[in-house]
Amino acid sequence: MIPYEASIIIIISPNLDYLVYTNSLLFIKSGGDSRVAGVMLAGASLIIFLVGPWIVGYIPVMVVGSLIFHLGLGLVKVALWDTWGLVHPLEYLTITLIVVAMAGFGFVEGIFMGILLACVFFVVTNSLKEGVRYSCTGESAKSTVRRVYRQQKFLRQVGRQIYIFKLQGDMFFGTINKVEKEIQDVFSRRRWEVNPIQFLVLDFSLVRNVDFSAAEG
């Protein structure tokens, strides 16, 4: 976990504002885990900003190149090696393709590739999940309210005419089709002739999100 004092460093210039994750990683690995270290880093950055970039010319090129090479290998290790076996295979494929896209085309292209693959990954993984947790008739899901004998007798008689679907997860275009098919199967001719359904109950208590296509369905 990244300490709150070691947040991602923002380098500000007159022409460009951008985030530098590698600088933050180097800051953390160098022991920057206190508020004093964060203040010292901010002060040093301010001094360099006021003095100007000419001071960077005094740093040997070999040192800068070695530092960038070291940080690059470290980030590749964190992205590809440390995540091996810890994430879903599709998610690991997403990480690999992002690294390849950034190395071959550019940073913006890699970010775009990551957003696109994340959407595909979400649809594929959630489509494999069952939208219906379980289904039963009113005979199984009995009321817990105490009722008079006449009402209890009536509920036993009409219990088979009540059908309940317990839904779960995210309801979107990838899962609503399965739910619709199961509901249609309940009202199919072969099942209707055996047990006609008069009341259909859809329980959304375990549903996290419902998109427009699922609500329309």
Side-chain angles (χ1 to χ4, degrees), residues 94 112-127 172-173:
T94 301
F112 178 77
M113 176 72 73
I115 295 174
L116 181 62
L117 292 177
C119 295
V120 175
F121 175 75
F122 172 81
V123 172
V124 172
T125 53
N126 284 274
S127 297
F172 67 109
F173 61 88

Side-chain angles (χ1 to χ4, degrees), residues 12-76:
I12 303 177
S13 65
N15 300 322
L16 181 63
D17 302 339
Y18 62 99
L19 303 177
V20 183
Y21 174 69
T22 53
N23 290 359
S24 297
L25 189 63
L26 177 63
F27 175 73
I28 295 170
K29 290 185 176 181
S30 300
D33 57 352
S34 64
R35 190 180 301 274
V36 176
V39 173
M40 293 175 61
L41 177 63
S45 301
L46 179 61
I47 292 174
I48 295 176
F49 176 76
L50 295 176
V51 171
W54 60 267
I55 194 173
V56 181
Y58 291 95
I59 302 176
V61 177
M62 182 179 296
V63 175
V64 178
S66 301
L67 178 62
I68 295 175
F69 186 74
H70 172 72
L71 292 175
L73 287 179
L75 291 176
V76 171

Side-chain angles (χ1 to χ4, degrees), residues 7 25 64-65 120 125 128 135 149-150 156 191 195 210 217:
S7 57
L25 189 63
V64 178
V120 175
T125 53
L128 298 177
S135 59
Y149 175 76
R150 184 177 67 258
R156 284 195 297 266
R191 297 185 62 175
N195 180 35
V210 180

Side-chain angles (χ1 to χ4, degrees), residues 80-133:
L80 299 179
W81 181 264
D82 294 347
T83 56
W84 177 263
L86 297 179
V87 298
H88 192 276
L90 289 178
E91 189 173 356
Y92 186 82
L93 177 62
T94 301
I95 297 173
T96 304
L97 292 178
I98 291 174
V99 173
V100 173
M102 285 186 175
F105 302 100
F107 179 79
V108 177
E109 290 79 1
I111 293 297
F112 178 77
M113 176 72 73
I115 295 174
L116 181 62
L117 292 177
C119 295
V120 175
F121 175 75
F122 172 81
V123 172
V124 172
T125 53
N126 284 274
S127 297
L128 298 177
K129 299 179 181 179
E130 294 294 334
V132 179
R133 186 178 182 89

